[in-house]
């Protein structure tokens, strides 16, 4: 994705689970006046390691500097940046719509079907739709429903991403670090 | 089972365990339990009571810079520790190992705006290598050990420990810790021998190499490796401000300081070399001048320990990551012995030009008011070029950097990246504790002196043998120079109405002399150096003296103003 000659980069950061790290990471963006488009923090597959998925529009040079300055933080294990073709991406959208409008206008349920979305709650007042996918897919459903005049609330999650690489770099890195340290003893 | 001890006592034992012998500090409410514990440890932990917490941080910096050890300070919460912020930021910019221990309100009061509470970790995160809040006594040994390991390893820097009061008074079993591994932290990147080989090939192919020597050489203890390298490839070198004593001033390959007020030759030749070899420096804007034209003709190699410095300001063709003590030795092994006579000789006309147009007038004047440069020259000669130079910030700093001579490593203590006025006096106090066997000469101006003048109290109490040379021109001289050069001589708030500094010194029992006449200068300097303990030498220097040559901001680095009237 491009915007004003800038690419949407996804930065994946792995860190120890210590208080205050999120602040340190976002401060690197603030100092360089780069806006964070989305941010997700969760557990990772390694015990005690947190994973940050951060997206921002930037040029390669800047995102490279940002990533290295993040990695420099003592408790950050690794930071890498990716373009969309290097990762699997997923986002989630939640849309609350008016049930009476949905019943009146057959177009509403048609859009939900076309977009392969799920209805997870129906009551006489409102219904809740969930939609997983890329930003464009979720936005497309939202815009269609909005045009039907039935949307009561809308929210979209930050991006989460997993690398397509066949090598699990972090796992290898950690075991290499431990081995080298043991060998030096 | 071991007898439980308080967290405060655990702190003292942990500090002793880290080999701390001097602490600079100031007591206050939230750190009182630790000062109480310190009372029993004061034989081993020599606590120096400063007169303002900012001075504790700068003194610890001065101590660290000359000794190579971690500087340590201990202060109270809230205003106590916010007063150290300037020193912490300064240490971050200049890669100085520092551990600042601050009191904090009890964990139960955190976030309640309790008396003297400040979100210290939040405040210091951007200006520290690591900031951590100790909330439980059992974490003290771990946190202190980790703090010292982080502060001194790799590229050094400041660490803050925010020590909650309940963790000071609570008890724990103490087990000494020795942390030397953090899995998320790679202090020294592994040397890439392929990169070293490529560097060697580039150096072998070069006909006009120029080496830029930074503080990394001092921090890595690679002074000898640097000389071996320079002499084998016969390459001229320029030093950054903080790298000045990494290479002896009189070494034939030393072409002087780089950058804004550096030597004409080193700056001109930066734009003529075919290979720029930067060692342990970070291409600060004061070094490069206009970035877009900086050494564009040259290939560039950057030896550094910090991967985030590579391509940060100047794009380089090759990075050699690692400890320069190791990488310089490795590349020296691989390069062939070279001679660059013609290239080195080509520096001479520029040295002569600078000598004639600037140095002769500044250092050897025969009439008119005393010049700053001649004072510096007089002092460095009297010390046999063996003293430690401490400076404040401004004209005094640039003049001292230009004309003080170095023969020993770790001999310059100055605030480079931050440019902190008021740094001089406390840093010089710290330096006397870090290198008690050496002479410490401090140059400062009448402006900077008054920013931390309260530390005369510390000097008096400790009889810290600081030789203070006050270059008094009754101006905030550096700003006045810029106003003269770039703001149409509109001296907006730079003239100073000064007190009688001799009276102040005598109130603190510091011997003092004022020199107004050129003919009295030499004897006065002799007398100062012969006096045991502290001394203030005030020199009335030319009021509107300028530091030259100068690469004006935004100009190409070789475009230096040689004269300004």
């Amino acid at each position: 994705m491009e915007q004003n000659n800038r690419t949407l980069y996804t930065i994946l950061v792995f860190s120890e689970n210590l208080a205050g790290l999120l602040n340190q990471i976002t401060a690197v963006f603030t100092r360089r006046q780069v806006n964070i488009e989305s941010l997700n923090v969760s557990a990772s597959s390694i015990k005690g390691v947190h994973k940050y998925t951060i997206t921002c529009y930037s040029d390669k040079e800047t995102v490279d500097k940002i990533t290295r300055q993040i990695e420099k933080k003592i408790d950050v294990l690794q930071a890498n940046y990716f373009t969309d073709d290097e990762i699997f991406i997923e986002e989630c959208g939640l849309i609350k719509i008016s049930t009476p409008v949905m019943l009146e206008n057959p177009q509403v349920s048609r859009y939900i079907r076309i977009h392969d979305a799920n209805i997870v709650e129906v009551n006489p007042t409102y219904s809740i739709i969930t939609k997983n996918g890329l930003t464009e897919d979720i936005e497309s459903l939202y815009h269609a429903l909005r045009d039907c005049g039935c949307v009561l609330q809308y929210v979209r999650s930050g991006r989460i991403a997993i690398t397509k690489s066949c090598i699990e770099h972090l796992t290898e890195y950690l075991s290499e670090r431990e081995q080298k340290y043991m060998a030096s003893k | 089972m071991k007898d439980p001890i308080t967290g405060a006592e655990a702190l003292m034992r942990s500090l002793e365990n880290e080999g701390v012998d001097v602490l600079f500090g100031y007591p206050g409410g939230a750190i009182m339990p630790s000062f109480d514990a310190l009372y029993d440890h004061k034989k081993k932990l020599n606590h120096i009571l400063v007169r303002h917490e900012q001075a504790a941080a700068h003194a610890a910096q001065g101590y660290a810079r000359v000794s190579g050890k971690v500087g340590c300070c201990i202060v109270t919460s809230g205003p106590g520790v916010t007063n150290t912020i300037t020193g912490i930021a300064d240490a971050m910019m200049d890669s100085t190992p520092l551990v600042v221990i601050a009191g904090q309100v009890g964990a139960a009061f955190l976030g309640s705006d309790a008396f003297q509470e400040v979100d210290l970790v939040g405040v210091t995160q951007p200006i520290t290598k690591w900031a951590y809040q100790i909330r439980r006594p059992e974490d003290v040994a771990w946190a202190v050990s980790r703090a010292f390991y982080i502060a001194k390893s790799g590229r050094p820097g400041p660490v803050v420990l925010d020590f909650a009061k309940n963790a000071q008074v609570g008890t724990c079993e103490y087990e000494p810790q020795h942390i030397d591994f953090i899995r998320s932290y790679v202090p020294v990147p592994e040397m890439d021998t392929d990169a070293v080989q490529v560097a060697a090939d580039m150096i072998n192919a070069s006909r006009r190499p120029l080496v830029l020597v930074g503080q990394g050489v001092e921090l890595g203890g690679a002074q000898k490796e640097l000389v071996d390298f320079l002499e084998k490839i016969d390459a001229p070198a320029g030093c950054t401000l903080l790298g000045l004593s990494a290479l002896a001033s009189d070494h034939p390959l030393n072409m002087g300081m780089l950058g804004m007020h550096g030597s004409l030759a080193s700056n001109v030749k930066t734009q003529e070399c075919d290979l720029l070899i930067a060692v342990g420096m970070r291409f600060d804007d004061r070094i490069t001048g206009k970035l877009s034209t900086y050494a564009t003709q040259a290939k560039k190699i950057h030896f550094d320990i910090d991967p985030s410095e590579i391509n940060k300001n100047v794009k380089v063709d090759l990075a050699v990551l690692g400890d320069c003590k190791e990488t310089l030795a490795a590349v020296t092994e691989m390069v062939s012995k070279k001679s660059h006579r013609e290239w080195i000789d080509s520096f001479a006309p520029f040295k002569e030009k600078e000598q004639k147009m600037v140095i002769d007038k500044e250092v050897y004047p025969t009439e008119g008011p005393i010049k700053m440069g001649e004072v510096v020259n007089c002092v460095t000669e009297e010390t046999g070029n063996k003293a430690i130079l401490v400076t404040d910030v401004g004209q005094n700093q640039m003049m001292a950097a230009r004309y003080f001579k170095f023969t020993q490593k770790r001999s310059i203590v100055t605030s480079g990246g931050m440019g902190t006025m008021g740094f001089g006096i406390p840093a010089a106090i710290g330096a006397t504790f870090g290198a008690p066997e050496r002479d410490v000469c401090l140059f400062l101006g009448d402006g900077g002196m008054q920013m931390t003048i309260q530390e005369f109290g510390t000097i008096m109490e400790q009889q810290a043998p600081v030789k203070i040379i006050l270059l008094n021109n009754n101006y905030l001289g550096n700003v006045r120079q810029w106003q003269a050069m770039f703001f149409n001589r509109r001296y907006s708030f730079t003239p100073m109405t000064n007190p009688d500094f001799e009276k102040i010194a005598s109130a603190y029992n510091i011997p003092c002399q004022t020199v107004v006449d050129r003919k009295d200068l030499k004897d006065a300097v002799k007398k100062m150096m012969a006096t045991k303990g502290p001394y203030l030498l005030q020199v009335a220097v030319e009021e509107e003296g300028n530091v030259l040559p100068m690469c004006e901001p935004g100009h190409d680095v070789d475009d230096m103003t040689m004269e300004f009237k």
Side-chain angles (χ1 to χ4, degrees):
Chain A
M1 269 206 274
E2 296 220 350
Q3 199 181 40
N4 305 329
N5 295 326
R6 285 161 182 267
T7 310
L8 183 70
Y9 285 99
T10 302
I11 302 173
L12 299 183
V13 182
F14 294 93
S15 82
E16 301 290 2
N17 178 17
L18 284 174
L21 260 170
L22 178 60
N23 250 342
Q24 293 187 54
I25 291 168
T26 54
V28 176
F29 291 86
T30 314
R31 269 187 87 178
R32 291 196 173 268
Q33 303 221 334
V34 172
N35 278 337
I36 291 174
E37 295 294 321
S38 77
L39 167 68
N40 179 278
V41 188
S42 74
S44 75
S45 60
I46 302 165
K47 198 177 169 231
V49 173
H50 274 202
K51 177 171 176 171
Y52 300 67
T53 311
I54 307 165
T55 63
C56 66
Y57 284 98
S58 175
D59 54 76
K60 191 168 168 24
E61 208 172 288
T62 308
V63 78
D64 188 63
K65 287 177 192 175
I66 287 175
T67 308
R68 273 183 292 151
Q69 284 181 330
I70 291 174
E71 195 165 71
K72 189 172 161 176
K73 305 288 172 198
I74 299 288
D75 296 305
V76 168
L77 292 154
Q78 260 191 353
N80 290 295
Y81 60 94
F82 303 89
T83 49
D84 285 0
D85 54 331
E86 296 168 308
I87 43 177
F88 284 108
I89 305 162
E90 191 84 340
E91 282 171 23
C92 174
L94 290 177
I95 308 170
K96 184 177 176 184
I97 60 172
S98 152
T99 306
V101 179
M102 177 167 70
L103 296 177
E104 264 165 41
N105 183 353
Q107 202 61 25
V108 172
S109 53
R110 195 168 304 141
Y111 282 135
I112 294 170
R113 259 201 322 280
I114 297 170
H115 283 88
D116 205 13
N118 296 318
I119 303 177
V120 293
E121 163 78 13
V122 182
N123 63 41
T125 319
Y126 64 82
S127 303
I128 293 177
I129 320 292
T130 67
K131 165 71 189 152
N132 293 345
L134 302 176
T135 318
E136 308 87 272
D137 306 335
I138 299 166
E139 294 267 285
S140 155
L141 172 62
Y142 164 64
H143 288 137
L145 295 178
R146 190 189 57 186
D147 293 345
C148 296
C150 64
V151 174
L152 300 171
Q153 282 184 42
Y154 166 61
V155 68
R156 183 162 55 79
S157 76
R159 164 182 287 197
I160 52 172
I162 273 177
T163 60
K164 289 181 181 172
S165 162
C166 297
I167 307 162
E168 298 315 316
H169 291 285
L170 181 65
T171 319
E172 289 192 2
Y173 167 81
L174 287 180
S175 65
E176 203 177 294
R177 290 270 304 145
E178 309 264 352
Q179 273 168 17
K180 269 197 193 134
Y181 174 68
M182 289 307 172
S184 74
K185 285 274 115 176
Chain B
M1 208 174 117
K2 290 187 178 175
D3 286 342
I5 60 169
T6 65
E9 173 64 21
L11 172 67
M12 297 306 138
R13 294 191 194 176
S14 299
L15 292 176
E16 285 176 2
N17 188 39
E18 292 297 332
V20 174
D21 50 7
V22 184
L23 283 163
F24 302 91
Y26 205 100
I31 197 70
M32 280 182 69
S34 291
F35 269 84
D36 188 59
L38 180 59
Y39 202 65
D40 294 327
H41 288 260
K42 61 185 176 186
K43 278 209 177 113
K44 265 188 162 173
L45 298 171
N46 183 17
H47 177 267
I48 311 302
L49 177 71
V50 293
R51 298 305 188 259
H52 183 283
E53 290 90 347
Q54 181 188 357
H58 292 326
Q61 285 181 278
Y63 170 89
R65 289 273 284 272
V66 299
S67 69
K69 295 197 278 188
V70 178
C72 191
C73 35
I74 181 163
V75 296
T76 194
S77 66
V81 72
T82 54
N83 279 342
T84 68
I85 296 286
T86 305
I88 296 169
D90 196 294
M92 187 68 172
M93 277 284 234
D94 284 352
S95 307
T96 308
L98 210 62
V99 171
V100 176
I101 298 152
Q104 178 60 285
V105 301
F109 296 95
L110 285 166
S112 71
D113 298 329
F115 180 64
Q116 294 191 330
E117 181 191 0
V118 69
D119 174 10
L120 182 61
V121 171
V123 168
T124 56
Q125 254 174 1
I127 50 165
T128 50
K129 244 183 121 173
W130 191 53
Y132 187 76
Q133 186 171 67
I134 305 173
R135 295 183 189 189
R136 307 183 311 163
E138 50 269 44
D139 293 340
V140 171
W142 171 84
V144 172
S145 180
R146 203 174 196 258
F148 276 81
Y149 172 59
I150 290 170
K152 70 189 172 199
S153 58
R155 180 178 179 178
V159 171
V160 163
L161 291 176
D162 188 24
F163 198 5
K165 200 166 181 178
N166 64 294
Q168 297 176 51
V169 295
T171 57
C172 63
E173 279 177 46
Y174 174 73
E175 190 65 53
Q177 298 279 315
H178 183 71
I179 290 176
D180 60 352
F181 176 76
I182 298 170
R183 67 174 182 172
S184 58
Y185 168 55
V186 185
V188 184
E190 210 172 321
M191 181 171 76
D192 175 358
T193 41
D194 290 346
V196 176
Q197 183 60 59
V198 177
D201 294 344
M202 287 167 77
I203 292 164
N204 284 338
S206 161
R207 297 169 60 192
R208 299 186 307 280
L210 178 65
V211 179
L212 311 181
V213 179
Q215 192 196 197
V217 174
E218 297 263 43
L219 296 172
Q223 297 88 353
K224 186 180 178 302
E225 286 76 6
L226 174 75
V227 171
D228 291 347
F229 172 66
L230 290 177
E231 289 177 354
K232 187 163 181 192
I233 66 167
D234 197 30
C239 298
T240 67
L241 175 63
L242 298 192
L244 278 176
S245 64
L247 179 64
S249 309
D250 60 356
H251 193 284
L253 291 170
N254 191 339
M255 299 300 164
M257 186 164 72
L258 297 161
M260 183 172 273
H261 290 299
S263 73
L264 176 67
S266 68
N267 284 339
V268 166
K269 294 296 161 177
T270 299
Q271 302 297 72
E272 289 178 17
C273 65
D274 65 355
L275 180 65
L276 207 57
I277 307 161
V279 187
M281 54 87 75
R282 58 187 180 85
F283 292 107
D284 182 85
D285 54 79
R286 286 294 190 267
I287 294 292
T288 62
K290 190 174 175 185
L291 257 186
S292 58
T293 57
Y294 179 75
T296 44
Q297 82 292 345
K299 289 228 185 276
K300 301 177 193 78
I301 307 176
H302 194 173
F303 289 78
D304 211 283
I305 200 163
D306 179 356
S308 77
E309 283 301 338
I310 308 299
N311 295 334
K312 189 185 78 178
N313 296 335
V314 170
K315 279 212 155 172
V316 295
D317 300 277
L318 176 71
V320 182
L321 290 172
D323 181 346
C324 62
K325 194 176 175 71
E326 198 187 344
T327 53
L328 276 181
V331 79
T332 306
E333 189 90 349
M334 285 186 200
V335 290
S336 8
K337 178 111 183 86
K338 288 268 184 181
S339 170
H340 295 292
R341 200 65 262 156
E342 205 179 314
W343 165 237
I344 292 166
D345 288 344
S346 76
F347 283 66
F350 297 96
K351 283 187 184 171
E352 279 158 30
K353 184 177 173 190
E354 185 179 342
Q355 184 74 36
K356 220 160 125 195
M357 294 186 75
V358 178
I359 301 174
D360 286 346
K361 293 180 201 164
E362 183 64 42
V363 178
Y364 309 106
T366 49
E367 51 179 32
I370 301 177
K371 304 282 259 180
M372 291 180 269
E374 69 177 311
V375 182
V376 175
N377 186 61
C378 191
V379 173
T380 192
E381 277 184 356
E382 188 57 36
T383 62
N385 304 327
K386 286 190 189 118
I388 289 171
L389 168 69
V390 184
T391 80
D392 207 78
V393 165
Q395 289 185 318
N396 63 85
Q397 175 186 35
M398 288 299 111
M399 284 296 185
R402 283 182 55 80
Y403 300 117
F404 209 82
K405 301 277 178 284
F406 304 96
T407 51
Q408 295 180 35
K409 63 184 182 180
R410 286 190 177 274
S411 294
I412 180 164
V413 181
T414 189
S415 168
M418 276 285 279
T420 303
M421 276 176 76
F423 174 86
I425 298 177
I429 294 170
T432 63
F433 286 94
E437 72 294 346
R438 296 184 64 189
D439 285 329
V440 174
C441 295
L442 163 66
F443 285 87
L444 38 50
D446 43 305
M449 174 133 149
Q450 292 178 76
M451 282 196 176
T452 44
I453 200 165
Q454 79 285 347
E455 296 310 315
F456 276 13
T458 312
I459 292 178
M460 172 181 67
E461 184 182 346
Q462 302 295 335
Q463 281 300 300
V466 183
K467 309 302 181 205
I468 307 164
I469 302 109
L470 169 61
L471 303 176
N472 190 347
N473 54 15
N474 287 317
Y475 272 112
L476 299 174
N478 211 39
V479 178
R480 187 212 52 77
Q481 177 177 343
W482 282 49
Q483 286 171 338
M485 294 176 82
F486 314 124
F487 292 90
N488 207 20
R489 281 209 161 80
R490 286 153 55 88
Y491 291 167
S492 182
F493 299 96
T494 42
M496 292 291 278
T497 305
N498 282 324
D500 182 338
F501 291 113
E502 278 205 43
K503 273 191 182 158
I504 295 177
S506 54
Y508 285 99
N509 247 332
I510 298 172
C512 177
Q513 186 178 353
T514 298
V515 173
V516 181
D517 266 325
R518 174 164 293 117
K519 62 175 174 30
D520 303 328
L521 180 62
K522 207 168 171 156
D523 284 344
V525 169
K526 265 194 201 309
K527 187 177 164 202
M528 170 180 73
M529 294 314 297
T531 306
K532 219 170 157 268
Y535 196 94
L536 171 65
L537 176 63
Q538 174 174 229
V539 186
V541 295
E542 180 187 17
E543 291 214 327
E544 299 198 23
N546 293 317
V547 185
L548 293 166
M550 179 178 191
C551 170
E552 296 175 18
H555 284 231
D556 295 352
V557 72
D558 58 341
D559 174 15
M560 292 195 90
T561 304
M562 303 300 286
E563 280 180 306
F564 179 75
K565 288 216 163 69

